Structure formats: C-alpha cells, structure tokens
C-alpha cells in the first residue's frame, strides 16, 4: 500500500438560487449581519434574536451543513433558508494523507462576480497532545519570498471570511470533530480532546493583507458560544506587515508569529522582500508594542534553515541581539524542498548547533519536525492547482519525496 493515500470524495454542486446565481452563505457572517440577512427575507423582528441563536448553534456547535438537519427550526423557516441561503462546505477536489498522518485538502470555491472558481490548500497536522489546522487566507500570494513555494503562485484574490472559516468547518467534518460524527477509520489524531485544537494562519497568502476577512473569521472561530477555540490556541503568522501588527493584537487578540528568516536587512530583502518596505527595526519595534505581550504570551519567530545562507553561528548571535527585550520563542524550520528551488536544507548537525546556541542564550528554540513532506504539505510548500506544476511533474516529484522520506529528516 502506498504511504500516500488519495481519497475519493464526493464533489457537491454549489447551491444556486432559482435564477441560477450562487446563494449567499450564512457562514462567516457576524450575528448582526446574520440578523440583517434574515430581516431582509421577512423574518419577524421579534424572532430575529432567537433565530440567529438557533442558526449559530447549528452551524458552529453542531456543525450541520444542511438546513434540513436543524430539527428545532420550523419547516417553513427551513424552506425559506434553503431557498435563499447556503451553509454548504467547499468542494473537496483532492484529499491526501501523508505517511505521518498529515492531511492535505485541495478545496475549490465557486466564482465570485466575474471571476473563476479558485482552489486553495489546507493542512491538518496531528500530534499526541493536539491537532493543528493550517489555514489559508488568500489564493496565491504577493510576497514572493524566495524560499517559499507558495510565493511562486501569483495572487488571484483574497478569501472571504466564509471561505476562511469553511476550512475549519470542513476539517472538523472530515475528522469527526463535531457531535455525533466519526473520523475515517485509521485517522491519526490526538488521543483525547478536540481533533482540531489549534489553528494557524500560515497557509497560502499573507493574512494581514486580508485583515478584515481574517479578523471576522477568527473572531467567529474563537466565539465562546460557537466554535469556541481559545485565542491562545490561534496563531496568526505574518511576514511583517508592520501597520497591521498592533491591530492584530488589539482587535483580534490571537498569538503572533513572525516569518523572520534573516537577521540582516540585506539578506532579508532577498529572502522576504517585504523587508524593503518594513525593515527589521520597524518590525521588531512593532513586535515590542504588541498588545498583551508577556513571557506567558510570547511571539514566535519562524526561522527557516537554509544551508550556507542564514545558518552560521554569526547568524545565531545576530538573532539573539535582534530579539533582545522581546519575549520570544524561535521555531527553527528545516527547509522543505520544492521543484525549481536553488536552496538546500541546512545539515542537521548545523541546525542542532544553531539551536543549542539559541537555547543557551535563554530562548526556547525547538526544531520543527518536518511533516507532510511526501504530499507537499510542509511549511512553504502549499500551492494550488491552477498555478501549480503540471500534474505528471508533481506526481514524479512526490514519488521522489516519498522514496527519500526520513532520510533527510
């Protein structure tokens, strides 16, 4: 049996109104927006608050994706909802399972306006004590970080709050993480508790270039009467959109991660070109001012290990100097290769030396275990089909990665 299983899934048709147009979704609406949508369709004012509470519970606590399953909602109300709205999940184009239990979904969303349907990827990473879902915020990316596969796909458009939240709802569906649901047989997941206990905005795109939609989606995901994720278990990763960093802490209140990767402006200008607009001093000053920052709520700095590029002990010393005074954790990420890249992963011995130096300076510096490499689901490898390599080329590369999996871990 192959270490990578491609799972056949039903491809639902997007719901349409009688005129043929796509129905608006109730997913991703705030309570106020949901109330306005019901009011517009003639729901009596005295019923609005109760109906919104019912819908909120069914969508986000019970996880239903069909109005007919809302058993305590009157039949005529359900018929009205079906006629005018949808709560359907996106189409699963492909679902892949890595030999380490990592799952990757290629999801298709319908066209918006005059646009075309778009595809994005979401990744689930199971561990013994938690399950982390990596969520995308854009189709493609504008940042062109030189080591990142996603950055080679041009930006198509921002995702809506509905599309961001739908990734979480779909993952909980597929993992049996809603009441009265069961996970597929053989699924690797945490031994107890929620199957999706953590989410990270580290998928395709720069979340802070889609601030309003990301904010709305994360506030719904952390709403105590719905999906109820702890804000301490939600991490937003940015490459350094300085003006939006303070707003993230003030208006969303989740944990912050910075995609750093270099300690000198000249090198970071190459690796993370947004540095030309917001150089390191501005970025670190914004981090120091992040609301709620403390030793208990540290900022995570992501640092990809590139052989002979940013992995010397001089770089490690520069990292300590740069982060002085910032409560921080430093995640060292072994570089995940992809077709066409000129970078190589640092030697494991060098990564360990780098980590030891950081640890001895008093910073937690875990080396992130590569996950999902065999299905191109690892950090920096996500890229959707419309701008991806030809399928034959991709499958050949994945076969090569499977054959070598473990040898370079």
């Amino acid at each position: 049996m192959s270490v990578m299983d491609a799972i056949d899934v039903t491809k639902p048709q997007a719901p349409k109104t009688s005129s043929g147009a796509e129905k608006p979704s109730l997913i991703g609406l705030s309570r106020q927006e949901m109330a306005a949508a019901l009011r517009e369709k003639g729901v009596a004012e005295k019923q609005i608050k109760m109906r919104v509470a019912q819908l909120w519970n069914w969508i986000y606590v019970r996880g239903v994706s069909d109005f007919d399953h809302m058993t305590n909602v009157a039949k005529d109300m359900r018929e009205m909802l079906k006629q005018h709205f949808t709560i359907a999940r996106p189409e699963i184009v492909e679902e892949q399972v890595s030999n380490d239990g990592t799952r990757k979904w290629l999801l298709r969303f319908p066209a918006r306006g005059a646009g075309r349907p778009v595809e994005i990827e979401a990744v689930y990473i199971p561990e013994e004590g938690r399950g982390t879902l990596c969520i995308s915020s854009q189709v493609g990316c504008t940042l062109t970080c030189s080591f990142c596969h996603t950055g080679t796909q041009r930006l198509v458009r921002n995702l809506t709050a509905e599309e961001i939240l739908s990734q979480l709802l779909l993952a909980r569906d597929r993992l049996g993480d809603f009441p009265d649901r069961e996970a597929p047989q053989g699924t690797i997941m945490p031994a107890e508790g929620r199957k999706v206990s953590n989410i990270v905005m580290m998928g395709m795109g720069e979340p802070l270039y889609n601030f309003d939609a990301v904010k709305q989606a994360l506030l719904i995901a952390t709403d105590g009467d719905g999906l109820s994720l702890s804000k301490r278990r939600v991490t937003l990763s940015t490459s350094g959109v300085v003006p939006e960093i303070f707003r993230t802490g003030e208006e969303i209140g989740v944990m912050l991660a910075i995609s750093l990767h270099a300690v000198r402006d000249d090198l970071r200008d190459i690796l993370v070109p947004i540095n030309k607009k917001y150089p390191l001093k501005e970025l670190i000053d914004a981090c120091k001012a992040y609301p709620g920052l403390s030793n208990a709520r540290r900022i995570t700095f992501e640092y990809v290990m590139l052989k002979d590029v940013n992995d010397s002990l001089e770089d490690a010393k520069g990292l300590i100097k740069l982060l002085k005074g910032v409560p921080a954790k430093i995640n060292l990420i072994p570089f995940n290769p992809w077709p066409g890249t000129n970078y190589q992963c640092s030697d494991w011995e060098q990564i360990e030396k780098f980590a030891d130096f950081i640890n001895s300076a008093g910073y937690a510096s875990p080396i992130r275990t590569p996950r999902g490499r065999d299905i191109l689901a690892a950090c920096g490898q996500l890229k959707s089909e419309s701008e991806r390599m030809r399928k034959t080329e991709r499958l050949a590369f994945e076969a090569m990665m499977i054959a070598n999996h473990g040898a370079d871990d």
Side-chain angles (χ1 to χ4, degrees):
M1 181 177 178
S2 169
V3 297
M4 180 191 73
D5 298 320
I7 299 175
D8 290 331
V9 292
T10 302
K11 299 183 178 181
Q13 296 298 311
K16 297 182 183 295
T17 64
S18 55
S19 64
E22 301 290 346
K23 295 179 184 178
S25 179
L26 295 180
I27 296 168
L29 299 183
S30 66
R31 286 181 175 83
Q32 293 78 12
E33 290 168 336
M34 195 178 290
L38 296 181
R39 191 176 293 115
E40 184 184 345
K41 299 305 177 186
V43 176
E45 189 64 38
K46 63 182 180 180
Q47 292 188 19
I48 294 287
K49 186 175 180 181
M50 180 264 291
R51 294 303 186 193
V52 168
Q54 284 181 319
L55 289 168
W56 201 268
N57 183 268
W58 280 112
I59 294 170
Y60 297 122
V61 177
R62 306 297 299 182
V64 304
S65 56
D66 186 332
F67 291 115
D68 283 332
H69 295 162
M70 298 182 176
T71 52
N72 67 343
V73 177
K75 186 175 180 180
D76 59 344
M77 179 72 178
R78 296 201 304 265
E79 290 302 318
M80 183 278 289
L81 292 170
K82 284 194 293 183
Q83 181 180 352
H84 295 291
F85 304 107
T86 180
I87 50 173
R89 305 294 188 250
E91 175 187 343
I92 302 175
V93 178
E94 186 176 25
E95 180 173 10
Q96 293 174 288
V97 183
S98 167
N99 57 1
D100 62 22
T102 297
R103 286 177 177 255
K104 183 172 74 170
W105 294 282
L106 178 65
L107 306 178
R108 180 176 295 144
F109 294 106
R112 300 286 175 185
R116 295 180 297 176
V118 295
E119 297 175 354
I120 58 95
E121 292 184 329
V123 174
Y124 175 70
I125 305 167
E127 298 174 85
E128 184 175 345
R130 65 180 180 179
T132 301
L133 181 68
C134 182
I135 292 177
S136 294
S137 58
Q138 296 179 308
V139 185
C141 189
T142 61
L143 294 180
T144 63
C145 298
S146 61
F147 58 88
C148 180
H149 194 207
T150 311
T152 64
Q153 178 182 352
R154 67 179 179 85
L155 179 68
V156 178
R157 67 169 173 84
N158 287 334
L159 294 178
T160 65
E162 172 214 341
E163 292 164 335
I164 294 168
L165 265 179
S166 289
Q167 297 170 65
L168 173 57
L169 297 177
L170 181 138
R172 292 191 66 182
D173 280 348
R174 297 295 298 170
L175 296 166
D177 203 20
F178 280 120
D180 306 318
R181 311 287 175 84
E182 292 186 5
Q185 189 172 3
T187 301
I188 298 175
M189 59 181 62
E192 57 185 26
R194 287 187 170 193
K195 311 302 187 293
V196 181
S197 61
N198 296 57
I199 59 176
V200 291
M201 296 299 306
M202 293 182 184
M204 296 168 58
E206 165 55 64
L208 297 190
Y209 278 158
N210 188 17
F211 185 90
D212 291 338
V214 167
K215 172 184 173 181
Q216 182 139 324
L218 293 185
L219 289 180
I220 293 173
T222 56
D223 185 287
D225 292 324
L227 292 162
S228 199
L229 281 165
S230 166
K231 289 189 178 184
R232 296 196 63 173
R233 289 180 172 267
V234 177
T235 299
L236 184 148
S237 177
T238 176
S239 292
V241 185
V242 166
E244 307 293 354
I245 287 177
F246 186 87
R247 287 186 67 200
T248 299
E250 188 81 356
E251 299 179 26
I252 309 176
V254 295
M255 306 299 283
L256 181 69
I258 301 293
S259 190
L260 187 64
H261 313 305
V263 299
R264 309 187 320 268
D265 280 322
D266 60 335
L267 178 57
R268 196 166 191 266
D269 286 350
I270 297 170
L271 297 181
V272 189
I274 195 177
N275 193 73
K276 297 173 185 176
K277 188 171 185 179
Y278 305 115
L280 283 168
K281 184 181 185 307
E282 291 184 28
L283 176 59
I284 298 303
D285 285 347
C287 290
K288 289 178 179 178
Y290 191 70
L293 182 62
S294 67
N295 286 328
R297 291 177 63 85
R298 297 173 293 175
I299 293 175
T300 298
F301 289 87
E302 309 283 354
Y303 196 94
V304 66
M305 299 299 294
L306 302 170
K307 185 174 183 178
D308 299 327
V309 174
N310 67 350
D311 62 350
S312 70
L313 287 184
E314 286 302 311
D315 289 303
K317 292 174 185 176
L319 185 55
I320 297 303
K321 182 178 179 181
L322 181 69
L323 299 184
K324 185 177 181 180
V326 182
K329 180 177 79 170
I330 301 161
N331 271 357
L332 300 181
I333 307 170
F335 174 65
N336 295 302
W338 44 270
T341 182
N342 293 320
Y343 293 110
Q344 296 178 16
C345 182
S346 302
D347 295 333
W348 196 257
E349 181 181 3
Q350 186 63 21
I351 296 175
E352 290 183 328
K353 286 180 181 178
F354 198 101
D356 288 344
F357 185 89
I358 302 297
N359 282 317
S360 67
Y363 288 92
S365 184
I367 302 171
R368 183 184 292 176
T369 304
R371 302 291 299 273
R373 278 184 170 182
D374 53 320
I375 57 171
L376 285 183
C379 184
Q381 290 185 317
L382 303 190
K383 192 174 183 184
S384 65
E385 186 69 41
S386 55
E387 286 286 323
R388 199 155 47 179
M389 69 193 88
R390 290 190 301 274
K391 188 169 184 179
T392 53
E393 181 183 1
R394 176 169 59 86
L395 292 176
F397 178 74
E398 288 177 353
M400 180 270 288
M401 287 303 302
I402 292 168
N404 294 335
H405 189 75
D408 59 349
D409 286 358

